[in-house]
Amino acid sequence: MHRVKVRVVEDALDANNTIARANRADFDRHGVTVVNLMSAPGSGKTTLLERALSHWHDGPRVGVLEGDVAGSLDADRLAHHHVPVVQLNTDNGFGGECHLDANMVRSAMDALPLDEIDMLIIENVGNLVCPAEFRVGEDARIMVSSVAEGADKPLKYPLMFRACELVVINKIDLIEHVDFDMDTFLYHLDAVHPGVTSLPVSARTGEGVDAVRSWLAALPDRVRAVA
Amino acid sequence: MHELSVAGAVVDTAIAHAAGRPVSVVTVRAGHLRQVVPRSLRFYFEIVARDTVVQGARLELEIVPGRLGCRACAHEWDVDSPAFRCPRCGGGDVTVLSGDELEVESIEVEEPTPCTA
Ligand SMILES: Nc1nc2c(ncn2[C@@H]2O[C@H](COP(=O)(O)OP(=O)(O)OP(=O)(O)O)[C@@H](O)[C@H]2O)c(=O)[nH]1
Ligand SMILES: [Mg+2]
Ligand SMILES: [Zn+2]
């Protein structure tokens, strides 16, 4: 036996990115705008979707792909609001994945009602790092950060706060109780991702959720203008 | 935690290029801005490589320093902490010149020595 050096020079995420592009092409063909919704576990992704989509009359027809670690609790919550939802189980019998990748989304493609929707929102697995690395074929990414997590999160997890077009600051109804300083958060966010749009909301009380709805409703046109 | 995902992507890339041959070294260039913790990456690399052709391979890791450039004033600077505004003009339209790579540069594989007798 002898050793041979093989030149590779390949992005370790190339394989994922190739599948993500294929997903994107499929979504484009059906005229579906895709949003990747990311956050730490429990920041309020599902609650925000319930709020934003339950009184959603005009605007794009929205479907949801739920990337839960296990079970279908989040999907059931949304189905309750008459939102078309497809469950993607990343459970491998041992708890499941820490993020969605392009191939998992690809595996759900046939189950998605792409002809009946204009927008697909993919709720990623709750995780503050890994989802930033794996594109799934989305047009835009939303990062939810709740005030309960503290004002220093952008500094600690710059990868995620840089990899998004919108930051939703959730649970503002709890601000007094958790000692969260909004200016400090915005200052750190600006250092990590200068100029990114941020919207303070309470998915619980509904405060600010209208602005998220408007942002979503305007997204298909914005994406088309760039393309 | 994110090093497990990165290790998986690195090992998969190495497997794809090994074409079935046992791999003894994997050389990776990881940008400083990718927040890869070397010790943690090595730990997961070894675990993920188990029962594949990459099992037991040595991971050669080069961390590429972060360097940014300002589109407004053309200033370039090194970054060590997550501060992405231009320190000269305060502009936010900044490009990453280096530091966001996550690249498998090469692998070394074992091949049977051809019989020359
Ligand atoms: N006070 C308060 N609680 C909230 C708000 N939004 C969500 N919650 C609560 O936070 C908890 C987690 O909310 P979810 O919507 O399940 O969070 P998630 O991000 O979907 O969680 P995973 O999918 O498990 O990562 C629930 O108990 C919600 O009721 C909010 O604006 N204010
Ligand atoms: Mg959820
Ligand atoms: Zn500048």
Side-chain angles (χ1 to χ4, degrees):
Chain A
M1 295 292 264
H2 69 297
R3 265 190 198 183
V4 181
K5 188 162 175 165
V6 180
R7 228 176 104 77
V8 179
V9 197
E10 184 178 301
D11 190 303
L13 294 166
D14 254 11
N16 182 72
N17 290 338
T18 303
I19 301 169
R21 276 193 296 275
N23 291 349
R24 178 80 174 266
D26 285 355
F27 293 136
D28 281 351
R29 201 165 34 252
H30 289 87
V32 174
T33 304
V34 179
V35 176
N36 185 352
L37 182 63
M38 318 181 294
S39 84
S43 303
K45 298 179 293 299
T46 309
T47 311
L48 178 66
L49 287 179
E50 286 180 285
R51 263 290 173 184
L53 301 180
S54 62
H55 296 284
W56 180 273
H57 297 300
D58 30 50
R61 297 165 299 168
V62 178
V64 174
L65 180 60
E66 267 300 331
D68 242 347
V69 175
S72 62
L73 291 174
D74 287 0
D76 296 344
R77 280 163 61 187
L78 285 161
H80 193 73
H81 295 273
H82 309 289
V83 178
V85 48
V86 171
Q87 169 75 37
L88 187 64
N89 245 324
T90 65
D91 195 354
N92 57 13
F94 213 97
E97 292 286 345
C98 62
H99 62 271
L100 295 182
D101 65 24
N103 207 33
M104 295 178 216
V105 170
R106 186 133 204 93
S107 73
M109 204 59 92
D110 287 341
L112 294 170
L114 294 181
D115 289 322
E116 281 127 57
I117 59 175
D118 307 305
M119 179 178 283
L120 177 69
I121 301 180
I122 302 176
E123 182 182 334
N124 215 310
V125 180
N127 179 331
L128 257 179
V129 195
C130 303
E133 301 278 17
F134 294 86
R135 300 255 152 205
V136 295
E138 68 274 45
D139 295 286
R141 301 171 137 201
I142 299 177
M143 163 83 192
V144 181
S145 189
S146 77
V147 301
E149 296 159 57
D152 59 351
K153 284 299 157 294
L155 283 188
K156 289 190 176 163
Y157 300 94
L159 229 44
M160 282 284 269
F161 284 94
R162 280 187 64 72
C164 61
E165 283 75 42
L166 171 66
V167 175
V168 173
I169 307 163
N170 191 30
K171 307 196 189 181
I172 55 169
D173 57 292
L174 296 179
I175 276 194
E176 284 96 76
H177 307 286
V178 295
D179 195 23
F180 175 91
D181 186 54
M182 185 64 84
D183 288 339
T184 305
F185 180 91
L186 293 176
Y187 176 79
H188 291 324
L189 179 61
D190 181 76
V192 166
H193 193 163
V196 68
T197 306
S198 59
L199 297 173
V201 311
S202 167
R204 162 127 340 141
T205 68
E207 188 182 349
V209 174
D210 262 339
V212 176
R213 280 198 200 99
S214 306
W215 192 94
L216 285 171
L219 183 64
D221 284 341
R222 244 188 349 261
V223 169
R224 247 170 267 133
V226 176
Chain B
M1 46 176 160
H2 134 269
E3 283 74 10
L4 173 59
S5 302
V6 171
V10 165
V11 168
D12 285 345
T13 305
I15 292 172
H17 287 263
R21 298 166 291 187
V23 177
S24 43
V25 182
V26 178
T27 305
V28 170
R29 282 161 48 90
H32 181 65
L33 303 177
R34 291 303 270 267
Q35 290 191 283
V36 170
V37 180
R39 210 164 57 94
S40 178
L41 182 63
R42 284 180 201 291
F43 174 76
Y44 287 120
F45 175 81
E46 197 189 308
I47 293 173
V48 177
R50 270 181 210 160
D51 300 320
T52 75
V53 289
V54 186
Q55 173 157 336
R58 188 173 81 240
L59 177 67
E60 292 276 356
L61 188 60
E62 182 198 342
I63 301 290
V64 184
R67 194 165 172 78
L68 304 181
C70 174
R71 282 213 182 88
C73 78
H75 181 56
E76 292 185 7
W77 70 100
D78 295 326
V79 271
D80 212 27
S81 58
F84 287 83
R85 266 196 191 277
C86 174
R88 190 156 84 183
C89 75
D93 191 4
V94 159
T95 45
V96 177
L97 301 172
S98 76
D100 68 353
E101 33 296 268
L102 187 61
E103 194 173 83
V104 178
E105 180 142 279
S106 65
I107 56 176
E108 284 182 38
V109 297
E110 307 280 348
E111 275 187 0
T113 308
C115 181
T116 50

